[in-house]
Amino acid sequence: MSIAVLIPAAGSGTRFGGEIPKQFLPLAGRPLLLHTVERFLLDENVARVVVAVAEPLLASVKQTPGDRVSFVAGGATRQQSVMRALEAAGEDVEIIAVHDAVRPFFRTSTFAAIVALAREHGAALPAVPLTDTIHMVGDDFTIQQTLDRSVLAAAQTPQVFRAPILRDILDRAMREGIEGTDEVSLAVRYGYTVKVVVGDRTNIKITNAEDMEIAESWLKETAE
């Protein structure tokens, strides 16, 4: 079984602040993105990792951490970047994972479980149950509705698909002008079964400076 991993990393990271996109900020002295890529390279079934970066940065990232890693120019949106990475991944992979560039702490055991489910059912992702009460808030900042958190879960990545399914949903979304918030939302839209693995709360998406401080602390604890 061969696996390709697609990492859309062409975003500007504006929510983090600063001139450098967050995926390239140093974490323990090395780019955050590199930590994410290297975690996938621990799996011998991963045939290739394709990273989509902003076109102006393409020349500066040509030095890759291994012959299984390649870089392509990303698009204006996450979905466009995933499509460009998919085109570069080739036709000879059975399973394709899509992963956020700024989630370097996913467990390899969780990834293996998601791959197994996707291979059997078509698609799978990690998600964590919600522990806080969730309210819908109106434009006037008043509570409109309280949702049943027992049936809600927060999606994480990697999100994994049989290759033909990912190609199908992205192609259909492109033709219909649909931009999904993630790939699983497109799979559900087009009628595919998606299985869920309970995710890890350490699989954080590094979005702001506080998240980076937490990540630095975790890496320091691991090294000691």
Side-chain angles (χ1 to χ4, degrees):
M1 176 181 62
S2 60
I3 303 168
V5 177
L6 315 180
I7 301 179
S12 61
T14 53
R15 282 179 293 180
F16 200 98
E19 297 181 358
I20 302 174
K22 61 188 175 183
Q23 58 269 30
F24 296 105
L25 288 173
L27 174 61
R30 301 181 334 165
L32 169 56
L33 175 61
L34 186 57
H35 289 274
T36 303
V37 169
E38 288 184 342
R39 175 131 339 205
F40 281 108
L41 296 180
L42 295 174
D43 190 329
E44 63 182 13
N45 290 314
V46 173
R48 60 190 63 95
V49 178
V50 183
V51 186
V53 300
E55 191 164 7
L57 297 175
L58 196 56
S60 63
V61 295
K62 284 301 186 181
Q63 290 186 335
T64 69
D67 58 6
R68 289 187 286 165
V69 183
S70 60
F71 292 86
V72 298
T77 66
R78 170 198 167 92
Q79 194 165 299
Q80 291 173 15
S81 291
V82 170
M83 292 187 68
R84 293 187 181 187
L86 180 60
E87 290 172 2
E91 300 289 334
D92 60 336
V93 289
E94 301 172 58
I95 298 293
I96 302 178
V98 183
H99 187 65
D100 296 325
V102 291
R103 286 190 192 267
F105 296 117
F106 65 92
R107 296 181 188 272
T108 54
S109 57
T110 302
F111 178 47
I114 299 165
V115 167
L117 273 179
R119 188 180 188 189
E120 180 178 357
H121 298 282
L125 84 160
V128 292
L130 300 183
T131 57
D132 296 320
T133 298
I134 304 299
H135 301 296
M136 290 181 61
V137 181
D139 293 337
D140 60 350
F141 293 95
T142 59
I143 301 297
Q144 304 297 311
Q145 182 181 354
T146 300
L147 304 180
D148 180 3
R149 70 184 182 192
S150 69
V151 296
L152 300 175
Q156 298 180 331
T157 65
Q159 299 184 358
V160 183
F161 307 82
R162 290 185 201 144
I165 291 177
L166 183 62
R167 293 190 179 100
D168 178 53
I169 64 175
L170 290 174
D171 180 66
R172 291 167 73 175
M174 180 186 68
R175 285 188 279 108
E176 294 178 15
I178 301 297
E179 285 283 341
T181 54
D182 66 0
E183 289 65 45
V184 158
S185 66
L186 295 177
V188 172
R189 178 185 182 89
Y190 295 121
Y192 287 104
T193 296
V194 180
K195 293 294 185 177
V196 176
V197 170
V198 177
D200 308 299
R201 298 198 181 276
T202 54
N203 185 18
I204 62 172
K205 185 177 183 180
I206 297 176
T207 305
N208 52 46
E210 182 180 4
D211 297 332
M212 187 67 85
E213 291 175 3
I214 293 170
E216 290 275 5
S217 175
W218 286 350
L219 287 177
K220 183 178 179 181
E221 290 176 5
T222 302
E224 291 177 348

